[in-house]
Amino acid sequence: MPTDCLFCKIIAGDIPAEKLYEDEDVLAFRDIAPQAPVHFLVVPKKHISGPTDVAEEDEKVIGKLMRIGSKVAQQEGIEQFRIVFNNGEQAGQTVFHVHMHVLGGRSMQWPPG
Ligand code: AMP
């Protein structure tokens, strides 16, 4: 685990977060700066820097992010939502531990800004 990774620190419990789901592979927690009425992140516990760093051995856990994200969305009372993975600074990635945003509870625009 890189010592400077914010999400590794949240996973380790060193930084508090509002956890919505946790198991041995993944953690879902509320985004600290929500961009929609429901906005949470789902992350693998394994440190992977971003989408381009996903290895073949990670495919299962990356798929699990989607299954758990959908389950937590339902718990949060939303049936329709947007899933976002940012890859690289130009795309808006600010935390370099791969994470899936789940946003819902309002109408969304397309294309994104
Ligand atoms: P990204 O810009 O795709 O890298 O997304 C990083 C997300 O992490 C942003 O939406 C931030 O609001 C969120 N974030 C940053 N720090 C925290 C934190 N301590 N707890 C929860 N979410 C955070």
Side-chain angles (χ1 to χ4, degrees):
M1 155 187 156
T3 50
D4 59 345
C5 174
L6 175 65
F7 290 171
C8 285
K9 287 179 184 165
I10 287 177
I11 291 162
D14 296 339
I15 290 179
E18 190 182 340
K19 295 180 182 181
L20 299 174
Y21 176 90
E22 182 168 21
D23 66 21
E24 67 276 20
D25 304 313
V26 305
L27 175 67
F29 55 98
R30 273 192 218 289
D31 197 292
I32 204 167
Q35 301 301 312
V38 176
H39 183 184
F40 62 89
L41 305 172
V42 194
V43 303
K45 288 195 167 175
K46 175 183 174 184
H47 181 85
I48 301 166
S49 298
T52 49
D53 302 290
V54 172
E56 204 171 334
E57 67 189 31
D58 304 322
E59 286 176 357
K60 197 170 171 189
V61 75
I62 297 300
K64 189 170 180 180
L65 299 184
M66 206 163 283
R67 183 171 67 77
I68 297 302
S70 300
K71 182 179 156 140
V72 174
Q74 212 168 24
Q75 282 171 19
E76 290 292 301
I78 53 168
E79 298 278 339
Q80 301 177 54
F81 48 85
R82 181 170 290 177
I83 281 174
V84 174
F85 285 89
N86 292 323
N87 187 67
E89 282 176 24
Q90 193 177 29
Q93 187 177 6
T94 58
V95 179
F96 289 84
H97 180 125
V98 73
H99 50 280
M100 189 179 85
H101 294 258
V102 180
L103 302 118
R106 65 164 169 83
S107 297
M108 304 276 165
Q109 304 298 312
W110 191 264

